[in-house]
Amino acid sequence: MVSEMDRYLFDLRGYLVLPKAIDGDHVARLNAGIDEIPAMNPGDWFGYVHRENFEASRGIAYQQIYEAGAPFEELIDHRAWIDHVKEFIGGEGTFDYNHGELFIDENFASIRGPGGAIGLHSGGHERVKRTQFRFDNGRFMCGQINILIALTPIGPGDGATMVIPGSHKSSFIHPQFAKQKIGDGASVDGVEGAIEVHLEPGDAILFVDALSHGSARRVNDGDRRILVYRYGPSWGFFRFGYRPSPELLARLTPRRRTIVWPHEPWPREPQVKP
Ligand SMILES: O=C(O)CCC(=O)C(=O)O
C-alpha cells in the first residue's frame, strides 16, 4: 500500500526509507547466496553472475544478481515495494504499459570495504529521460526507481548511501558537483546538502535515480553489503549488455518473468483471424 505520506515525501524528497522491507531470514539467505560466489577477478563470470569491471574504489559489484538463486528472485516483485515502484513509474493504461508492468534494467550486489565510496552523481538538472522524475496530470511517470537494500548494518563510518533530498527537481548543478567524480576514489563526504541514510539489515531505500546520490567513504572495518534493483517502464532495456539466462526465465513465476523479460517477441507468422 502506498500511503498519502509516502506520496508526499517521495514527491518532496525523491526517496523513501522502507524499514524492515526484508525479514531477517531473507537477509540471511541473501547473505549466504553472496557468500557462495567465489573470489573472482573483475570481468569474470560465476554462472550468469558477472563481476563488474569498474574502478576498484567502488568495491566489488556482482551484476545480474537475480541469477544467484531463489532469495534474489523473490526480490523481483517483493511486496514491500512493488506497489510503490508501479505507482512511481506509472504508465498503467497508457502506451508505457504495452509489454507488462515494469522492467528491471540493472540489478547487482555491491560489497565495499574500508576506503571504498562512490562519488556524487545524477540530479534534476541533467534532465535525463531514463532516470527522470515526473509528475503530470495527477500521476507519477518516473523513468527509473531504484530499490537499494542493506544486507549489513549501515551507520556512521560504514560508507552509507548519501542523497541530496529534493535534488531530483533541481534546476542547477550542485556547485561542488563539477569537482566530484563518480569513481577514482571520490565520495559524497562534505558535499553541502547531502545526508547519510543509515539502515539496518533488511531496510531499503526507494529513490528516483534523478536524485543526486552517491556514498560516504567507508572508514570502519569489514564490508558494507547492499543490493540494488533498478526498475523502469516495460519498454525499457538493459543498461549494460546483460540478458536473463534461459534457465532463469524457465523457473520464474509468470509475473517475475515479465518484469525480467517483457520483450518476448510475437510469433513471426502473421496471425490470421478466422
Ligand atoms: O553505493 C551506494 O551507496 C550508492 C549506490 C548508487 O550510487 C546507485 O545505486 O546508483
Side-chain angles (χ1 to χ4, degrees), residues 29-250:
R29 291 188 295 125
L30 290 162
N31 272 319
I34 291 175
D35 291 339
E36 278 174 26
I37 301 173
M40 289 197 274
N41 291 318
D44 284 354
W45 291 85
F46 174 62
Y48 294 104
V49 174
H50 184 234
R51 179 165 172 195
E52 195 178 83
N53 196 1
F54 281 161
E55 302 88 354
S57 58
R58 287 164 64 171
I60 294 172
Y62 294 128
Q63 288 279 356
Q64 293 296 93
I65 197 68
Y66 59 28
E67 300 272 2
F72 301 91
E73 295 167 18
E74 290 163 26
L75 300 176
I76 293 167
D77 58 351
H78 199 282
R79 67 178 185 284
W81 56 74
I82 199 69
D83 289 345
H84 289 74
V85 172
K86 278 183 68 175
E87 178 161 336
F88 298 149
I89 295 290
E92 192 159 5
T94 76
F95 276 7
D96 273 346
Y97 237 64
N98 276 350
H99 305 284
E101 307 165 280
L102 294 165
F103 172 61
I104 294 176
D105 89 344
E106 187 183 9
N107 63 104
F108 61 95
S110 162
I111 301 161
R112 203 174 279 158
I118 185 167
L120 188 69
H121 53 285
S122 215
H125 64 283
E126 289 184 342
R127 296 289 180 268
V128 172
K129 281 178 271 194
R130 189 183 190 102
T131 61
Q132 68 185 303
F133 173 84
R134 262 185 70 198
F135 184 85
D136 280 323
N137 297 325
R139 63 184 172 192
F140 292 101
M141 300 282 268
C142 296
Q144 187 171 85
I145 297 293
N146 300 325
I147 300 292
L148 184 155
I149 306 148
L151 296 182
T152 53
I154 305 179
D158 287 329
T161 300
M162 295 187 73
V163 299
I164 302 183
S167 55
H168 57 307
K169 296 184 183 178
S170 76
S171 303
F172 298 98
I173 189 167
H174 192 292
Q176 288 165 272
F177 205 108
K179 297 182 194 139
Q180 276 277 328
K181 284 188 185 156
I182 188 168
D184 296 337
S187 80
V188 190
D189 298 286
V191 171
E192 179 103 25
I195 58 162
E196 292 194 14
V197 184
H198 295 153
L199 303 169
E200 292 299 324
D203 293 350
I205 314 173
L206 175 157
F207 63 104
V208 61
D209 199 79
L211 189 71
S212 295
H213 61 281
S215 89
R217 187 174 316 289
R218 185 174 178 92
V219 294
N220 295 342
D221 289 340
D223 288 334
R224 183 200 82 156
R225 282 185 176 187
I226 61 165
L227 297 169
V228 177
Y229 282 46
R230 303 194 200 280
Y231 297 81
S234 65
W235 49 264
F237 211 62
F238 289 86
R239 178 180 182 197
F240 299 120
Y242 305 113
R243 300 290 180 272
S245 67
E247 294 89 334
L248 177 71
L249 292 178

